[in-house]
Amino acid sequence: ASKRGKKGVDAGAGGLAYMTSYESAVLAEYVWLDAAQTPRSKTMTMTTLPTSVEGLRVWNYDGSSTEQADGHNSEVLLYPRAIFKDPFRGAPHILVLAEAYNAWDGQPAIGNTRAACAELMQKYAHLDPWFGIEQEYTLMKPGKVGEKPTVPFGFNEDGSEPAPQGPYYCGAGNGVALGRPVADEHYVKCLQAGVKIAGINAEVMPGQWEYQIGPCRGIEMGDHLVMSRYIMLRITESHNCVCSFSPKPMEGDWNGAGCHTNFSVTPMRKEGGYDVIIKVCEAFGKVAAEHIAEYGEGNDKRLTGKHETCDINTFKYGVANRGASIRIPRETEKDGKGYMEDRRPAANCDPYRVTAKMIKTTGECLAA
């Protein structure tokens, strides 16, 4: 056993060589984000179940196949950052959230926005930021292999549009709640993985759903949302549908898809917190365009002022106002403390960029 290394530490190839069989080995699915922020993954056989990320190996992959490197110098390193249980293979196997770094210069790889976010979360750790993200997504019918699908799962077989929005939000029944097996399986698998999933509901457009991740503290928000998206992509493999995080998957009188981000820091959660929330909302307004730039691609098609959104070029906040950029819950106003909800991030947003921008503006505003 000593030749197989320390307890709780993967001994790597040197340890595997001394094993007569891999029957007791543990599999680790390393998950990372490519240049387009899409999760990629590959599997490694380990000698034992690591007790922390320190017990995991730094791995590598071909960055030229993920648009993160050139072919002649393509090695990108994977540094383990968080461990989840593998809900597909079951115990003792694990999912590993990893961060990508260039092997040639030690810098974060293209698409690795976690590194900068972690620095900011460390800087403002004294504010103990809490986040909760409402991830909307639309199930689509598969199109040609490798191409983005264009027809929502909730549209008729002949391609004609379903009845207008109205019965689908939080609906039940055949022809109303379309894709529930996917939403339900995702919920259970996230729980099994240890992802902080707080709830689900059918959304306004047919075949559109939402799940909530949080409350999460600091960098945990991005980590748990990324892993939840990866689990969703894995689940759709066996349901003959595609998950789209597009902010406007269907043109016309159909709701877009967002990632409403609920947020608070310690001063907001204490007595007098409501005044702090107003102060931070005002600060967000002064740099509204900077925030929008961090909140997802193609968001202009969603933030039109219709379908429960505020126009992308307008900034306003208000109590219980779902047509505002930032909604302050009625309960928060009543209690004089609580949290705020930024309704602008798109469904395809990068949670590391969103949470980093929110804590940076807040931290600077409260330090002023």
Side-chain angles (χ1 to χ4, degrees), residues 122-143:
Q122 199 69 44
K123 181 178 178 181
Y124 295 113
H126 62 282
L127 290 173
D128 189 16
W130 294 8
F131 299 93
I133 289 186
E134 305 165 28
Q135 174 72 68
E136 292 179 339
Y137 61 95
T138 311
L139 296 174
M140 310 288 282
K141 293 179 181 179

Side-chain angles (χ1 to χ4, degrees), residues 12-265:
L16 289 169
Y18 289 104
M19 294 173 72
T20 53
S21 160
Y22 290 174
E23 203 177 352
S24 63
V26 177
L27 306 184
E29 190 75 25
Y30 277 58
V31 179
W32 72 96
L33 295 174
D34 67 15
Q37 294 283 302
T38 303
R40 306 264 186 145
S41 76
K42 62 177 189 165
T43 318
M44 172 195 282
T45 299
M46 304 186 298
T47 56
T48 188
L49 178 65
T51 47
S52 71
V53 287
E54 285 72 38
L56 287 155
R57 273 183 276 171
V58 173
W59 208 6
N60 64 72
Y61 65 94
D62 166 22
S64 68
S65 297
T66 60
E67 295 181 33
Q68 289 167 301
D70 294 324
H72 65 275
N73 188 10
S74 68
E75 195 165 292
V76 179
L77 302 174
L78 288 172
Y79 285 88
R81 294 293 185 242
I83 298 173
F84 295 85
K85 290 174 181 171
D86 188 333
F88 301 100
R89 294 187 174 113
H93 311 299
I94 58 173
L95 302 176
V96 176
L97 183 84
E99 233 183 282
Y101 279 80
N102 304 330
W104 57 92
D105 64 2
Q107 292 301 303
I110 298 164
N112 175 4
T113 51
R114 187 188 186 279
C117 179
E119 268 181 45
L120 277 167
M121 292 302 174
Q122 199 69 44
K123 181 178 178 181
Y124 295 113
H126 62 282
L127 290 173
D128 189 16
W130 294 8
F131 299 93
I133 289 186
E134 305 165 28
Q135 174 72 68
E136 292 179 339
Y137 61 95
T138 311
L139 296 174
M140 310 288 282
K141 293 179 181 179
K144 288 186 176 175
V145 173
E147 290 184 11
K148 282 186 180 170
T150 55
V151 182
F153 189 70
F155 277 40
N156 297 311
E157 283 301 321
D158 63 4
S160 64
E161 293 199 351
Q165 298 182 154
Y168 313 111
Y169 173 72
C170 296
N174 190 19
V176 177
L178 300 136
R180 192 185 296 279
V182 174
D184 273 348
E185 190 182 329
H186 177 257
Y187 201 160
V188 172
K189 288 276 196 277
C190 280
L191 289 173
Q192 291 168 344
V195 170
K196 287 185 165 185
I197 188 165
I200 62 169
N201 60 269
E203 266 304 330
V204 177
M205 179 181 159
Q208 189 181 56
W209 291 77
E210 170 185 305
Y211 62 85
Q212 301 92 32
I213 300 290
C216 292
R217 298 167 73 183
I219 197 71
E220 189 181 59
M221 184 69 253
D223 291 352
H224 282 245
L225 193 76
V226 166
M227 196 51 79
S228 76
R229 286 175 174 175
Y230 171 74
I231 291 170
M232 175 57 78
L233 296 180
R234 287 282 302 273
I235 283 165
T236 57
E237 291 172 10
S238 56
H239 286 275
N240 195 35
C241 62
V242 178
C243 176
S244 168
F245 294 116
S246 165
K248 189 71 177 175
M250 200 65 198
E251 295 293 333
D253 198 12
W254 303 103
N255 270 34
C259 249
H260 299 163
T261 303
N262 301 280
F263 168 67
S264 70
V265 287

Side-chain angles (χ1 to χ4, degrees), residues 259-261 284 295 325-326 340-345 358:
C259 249
H260 299 163
T261 303
F284 274 39
Y295 282 6
S325 314
I326 295 177
M340 54 191 264
E341 175 197 45
D342 195 331
R343 297 176 61 81
R344 295 170 297 169
M358 289 176 84

Side-chain angles (χ1 to χ4, degrees), residues 316-327:
K316 60 185 177 190
Y317 61 90
V319 175
N321 184 357
R322 282 181 160 77
S325 314
I326 295 177
R327 177 182 72 92

